[in-house]
Amino acid sequence: MANELSIDGFAISTNVIATIVTIAAEKVDGVAYVNGHNVATSLITMFTSKPTVAEDTVECEVTDGKLDVTLPIAVFFGYTFPEVAQGVREAVANAVTTQIGVPVGAVNIRIDELVFPKE
């Protein structure tokens, strides 16, 4: 992943995109965390004003003037994967369109982990 992407006449840091995508995805019911952004990084974010996102967590590229995003997520046990994935797609597309102002071509979800509740 490059350090910045050029789209629609401006350049934007991939870290900025990753932060927007991660925050949007983690608000969806059923998402435990975006991989690379777990409890440790959440605590750092909670006690500082700057979100901490692993640089290689969210992949993004520009295709035909649209932003394509791929992100790995961890899902809580008991949630239906297709429903969580659709919720993440909608949240990410809305956040990118609203905050960055560019069209989204695709939001690809990769479920890498299943998180079980403590018993």
Side-chain angles (χ1 to χ4, degrees), residues 35 56-57 59 70-74 85 108-113:
N35 289 3
D56 60 348
T57 301
E59 299 171 10
T70 301
L71 68 152
I73 63 171
N108 302 304
I109 310 301
R110 187 178 70 235
I111 299 173
D112 282 352
E113 292 183 50

Side-chain angles (χ1 to χ4, degrees), residues 1 14-23 26 34-37 41 45 50-58:
M1 184 164 82
T14 53
N15 286 338
V16 170
I17 298 169
T19 299
I20 292 167
V21 167
T22 298
I23 291 170
E26 287 184 341
V34 173
N35 289 3
H37 190 254
T41 55
T45 300
K50 183 177 180 185
T52 303
V53 177
E55 188 171 327
D56 60 348
T57 301
V58 176

Side-chain angles (χ1 to χ4, degrees), residues 1-105:
M1 184 164 82
N3 289 333
E4 67 179 37
L5 294 175
S6 294
I7 186 168
D8 203 24
F10 67 96
I12 185 167
S13 166
T14 53
N15 286 338
V16 170
I17 298 169
T19 299
I20 292 167
V21 167
T22 298
I23 291 170
E26 287 184 341
K27 290 181 180 178
V28 174
D29 283 343
V31 174
Y33 54 87
V34 173
N35 289 3
H37 190 254
N38 54 25
V39 175
T41 55
S42 294
L43 288 173
I44 292 169
T45 300
M46 189 171 21
F47 293 110
T48 66
S49 61
K50 183 177 180 185
T52 303
V53 177
E55 188 171 327
D56 60 348
T57 301
V58 176
E59 299 171 10
C60 47
E61 65 181 349
V62 178
T63 306
D64 297 327
K66 295 181 180 179
L67 186 64
D68 294 341
V69 178
T70 301
L71 68 152
I73 63 171
V75 176
F76 286 116
F77 178 78
Y79 285 85
T80 307
F81 290 175
E83 291 175 8
V84 172
Q86 185 58 34
V88 171
R89 281 187 194 97
E90 291 171 4
V92 167
N94 184 45
V96 168
T97 303
T98 302
Q99 293 187 17
I100 302 174
V102 297
V104 176

